[in-house]
């Protein structure tokens, strides 16, 4: 059953699907009045019946009580130093499927890619659309928020709002007595929000690692192997799913 997010609540059990989603229902899926869809409103999913096509809008009526949520029990924020090429698309899509709560992009010392401020809003909107489509596909109740890019200083400032602060450090992974990620996760069951920072292709500089440590971050290794920039966030989210779900 197709899933659609709407920005407004149901009123007396009815609501409206509009815009691109309404077009998708009518022109792509060629659905008919009386057919059912899953509609997500205010973080809750409901089965709803298409009552009538009202011009470009689709009027719907709630058919069920809220459906079971499959959201990750922790709000996980992924912070990525800007990677090259289409890696950011992959990180956004797959991290959404794995339960990411929000994505923060930052300019790292070793980031090869530079964010074009004049095109930044358009890029952010495209990534937000990728997250929305991935959330629909994976039957989530929440679309992760894709934040605009921040400076490293801005990242440090934003980190104050999270319960747990972690940074993936490849130097930690190279040590024989490295910090095992599973041991850290086992101590966070009573925490709600977790922020994890990842570097770009060249990793984070030692200066950046030290600044993160000074602001309360703890280094983690993701096993003995060095993972690519686009693989590391997926590893972390998979491990969290195993631990918490």
């Amino acid at each position: 059953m197709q899933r659609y997010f709407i920005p407004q609540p149901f009123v007396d059990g009815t609501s409206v699907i509009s815009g691109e989603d309404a077009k998708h229902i009518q022109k792509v899926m060629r659905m008919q009045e009386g057919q059912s869809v899953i509609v997500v409103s205010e973080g809750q999913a409901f089965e709803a019946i298409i009552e009538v096509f009202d011009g470009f809008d689709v009027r719907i009526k709630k058919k069920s009580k809220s459906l079971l949520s499959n959201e990750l029990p922790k709000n996980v924020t992924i912070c990525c130093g800007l990677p090259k090429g289409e890696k950011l698309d992959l990180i956004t899509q797959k991290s959404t499927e794995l339960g990411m709560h929000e994505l923060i992009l930052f300019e790292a010392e070793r980031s090869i890619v530079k964010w074009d401020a004049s095109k930044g809003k358009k890029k952010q909107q495209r990534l937000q659309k990728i997250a929305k489509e991935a959330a629909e596909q994976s039957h989530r109740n929440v679309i992760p928020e894709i934040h605009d890019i921040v400076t490293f200083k801005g990242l440090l400032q934003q980190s104050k709002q999270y319960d747990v602060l972690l940074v993936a450090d490849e130097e930690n992974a190279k040590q024989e007595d490295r910090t095992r990620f599973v041991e850290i996760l086992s101590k966070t069951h009573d925490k709600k929000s977790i922020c994890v920072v990842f570097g770009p292709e060249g990793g984070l500089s030692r200066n950046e690692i030290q600044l993160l440590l000074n602001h309360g971050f703890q280094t983690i290794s993701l096993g003995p192997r060095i993972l690519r920039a686009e693989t590391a966030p997926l590893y972390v989210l998979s491990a969290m799913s195993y631990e918490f779900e």
Side-chain angles (χ1 to χ4, degrees), residues 96-178:
T96 296
E97 292 178 23
L98 290 167
M100 172 182 72
H101 182 68
E102 60 181 351
L103 175 65
I104 296 176
L105 310 173
F106 67 94
E107 294 179 345
E109 288 182 19
R110 295 174 180 168
S111 289
I112 298 173
V113 173
K114 299 301 178 184
W115 194 267
D116 187 340
S118 64
K119 300 178 181 178
K121 190 63 179 178
K122 192 172 183 179
K123 289 182 179 179
Q124 180 192 9
Q125 290 173 344
R126 183 173 60 81
L127 292 173
Q128 191 67 66
K129 183 178 181 182
I130 290 173
K132 175 181 178 293
E133 292 171 350
E136 290 170 343
Q137 182 275 324
S138 55
H139 286 201
R140 289 192 56 180
N141 285 8
V142 176
I143 302 172
E145 182 177 0
I146 312 300
H147 293 271
D148 198 2
I149 189 169
V150 298
T151 62
F152 189 76
K153 183 178 180 181
L155 173 65
L156 295 176
Q157 185 67 27
Q158 264 186 263
S159 69
K160 297 177 181 180
Q161 63 185 291
Y162 304 106
D163 298 328
V164 181
L165 301 174
L166 306 173
V167 52
D169 183 13
E170 63 183 50
E171 293 302 319
N172 191 318
K174 295 175 184 177
Q175 298 174 12
E176 185 174 345
D177 186 23
R178 61 184 179 275

Side-chain angles (χ1 to χ4, degrees), residues 39-53:
V39 177
V40 182
S41 171
E42 299 185 310
Q44 291 185 301
F46 305 90
E47 185 176 349
I49 295 177
I50 297 173
E51 282 197 314
V52 65
F53 295 119

